[in-house]
Amino acid sequence: MVAPSPGRNEPTRRGLPRRPVPLPWRIMLLVNRGVVRTAGRVEVTGTIPAELRDRPLLIAANHIGVFDPFVLMAACSKVGVAPRFMLAGGLLRIPVIGPGLRRSGHIRVDRQSATVAAVFDHAVDVLRDGRLPLLVYPEGRISHDPGLWPERGKTGVARMALRGDIPVLTISQWGAHEAVHWGTEVVTGWRDLLPLLTSWWRSVLARRVFRVHFGDLVDLSGLKDGTPGDAMRAHQRIMRAITDQLVPLRADEPDMPAFHDPTRPTDSRSPWRPREPRS
């Protein structure tokens, strides 16, 4: 069972010293801060409590654009944490960047060569062994909702939390979708990169504001791994927490985003979207 407080099953782990951030990841985070500054300003509210920084922690965030991982990395640096990500195996094969990511402690996900259960078990083992926060996107992709509200998402984060008795902290963000256009699902040539490049330069000139809020732990008390329906109930609590925290971040855009990205698909509807626009 996961409660909104540090897990009870790991009393010997809390006193262990924090593992140092690998040098390649420190360098990448430093470079990332410079990249984000060229596009705009990161405004951070909330934080991650000190007692959660040296233990396994899942950080669940909404996914609004191509640039938002960079914004989240910069926001986490501001509050003094360096979470790892769950990365597709293909990213780790990219020249130069791939080796750095492999040495940085991220969790590799090869969905074609492993069952979903095996991926979750591996992630839980890494979290427990590494005593590090892991940043994940419950939606699994950039939202296709016309209003850019969180999509239905999948129960993977919830299953990991219940399986490993790992607390979940939520992040809500707004503004990163304006930095770079969605572009295309698959890049087949240099022309596919033009929307990203042109929109990026507009952002550099416009100086966007990226708002990131670190919320509270999600109350998953009363839910257990293996109990039918509990993974979905946990997922619903996580997604509603993200959405509730998103509302004040986009108070001046309560229904639809003011920024129009002509390349982003809008073929789904968010089940978490507020029933009525809030002002």
Side-chain angles (χ1 to χ4, degrees), residues 44-86:
V44 176
T45 53
T47 190
I48 297 179
E51 63 270 18
L52 296 176
R53 299 185 179 209
D54 299 331
R55 53 159 295 133
L57 175 68
L58 286 163
I59 306 175
N62 60 320
H63 204 357
I64 59 175
V66 175
F67 195 62
D68 74 42
F70 302 94
V71 171
L72 291 179
M73 288 160 56
C76 287
S77 293
K78 276 197 166 191
V79 300
V81 295
R84 310 310 197 271
F85 288 79
M86 293 189 76

Side-chain angles (χ1 to χ4, degrees), residues 45-218:
T45 53
T47 190
I48 297 179
E51 63 270 18
L52 296 176
R53 299 185 179 209
D54 299 331
R55 53 159 295 133
L57 175 68
L58 286 163
I59 306 175
N62 60 320
H63 204 357
I64 59 175
V66 175
F67 195 62
D68 74 42
F70 302 94
V71 171
L72 291 179
M73 288 160 56
C76 287
S77 293
K78 276 197 166 191
V79 300
V81 295
R84 310 310 197 271
F85 288 79
M86 293 189 76
L87 300 177
L91 290 174
L92 303 179
R93 292 190 291 270
I94 298 176
V96 182
I97 296 177
L101 291 173
R102 285 197 299 271
R103 295 184 179 93
S104 297
H106 300 286
I107 297 178
R108 177 172 181 159
V109 179
D110 290 306
R111 291 188 174 90
Q112 295 180 347
S113 60
T115 65
V116 174
V119 170
F120 293 160
D121 287 342
H122 173 64
V124 169
D125 288 342
V126 172
L127 278 166
R128 285 173 166 169
D129 180 63
R131 303 185 303 280
L132 50 84
L134 179 67
L135 203 154
V136 287
Y137 290 113
E139 296 168 83
R141 69 176 186 181
I142 296 169
S143 176
H144 287 199
D145 177 74
L148 209 53
W149 293 97
E151 287 196 308
R152 181 173 300 278
K154 301 179 181 180
T155 59
V157 178
R159 291 180 186 279
M160 285 190 289
L162 297 181
R163 185 167 300 174
D165 194 18
I166 299 170
V168 179
L169 184 142
T170 55
I171 288 181
S172 300
Q173 60 170 324
W174 190 247
H177 60 291
E178 300 182 8
V180 181
H181 280 173
W182 183 87
T184 181
E185 197 78 57
V186 179
V187 176
T188 58
W190 68 271
R191 291 183 184 275
D192 293 331
L193 298 176
L194 286 179
L196 280 70
L197 296 175
T198 55
S199 59
W200 168 255
W201 284 114
R202 290 172 188 161
S203 297
V204 171
L205 296 175
R207 300 292 299 162
R208 312 290 187 186
V209 177
F210 311 124
R211 301 184 184 95
V212 180
H213 177 72
F214 291 83
D216 299 324
L217 288 179
V218 181

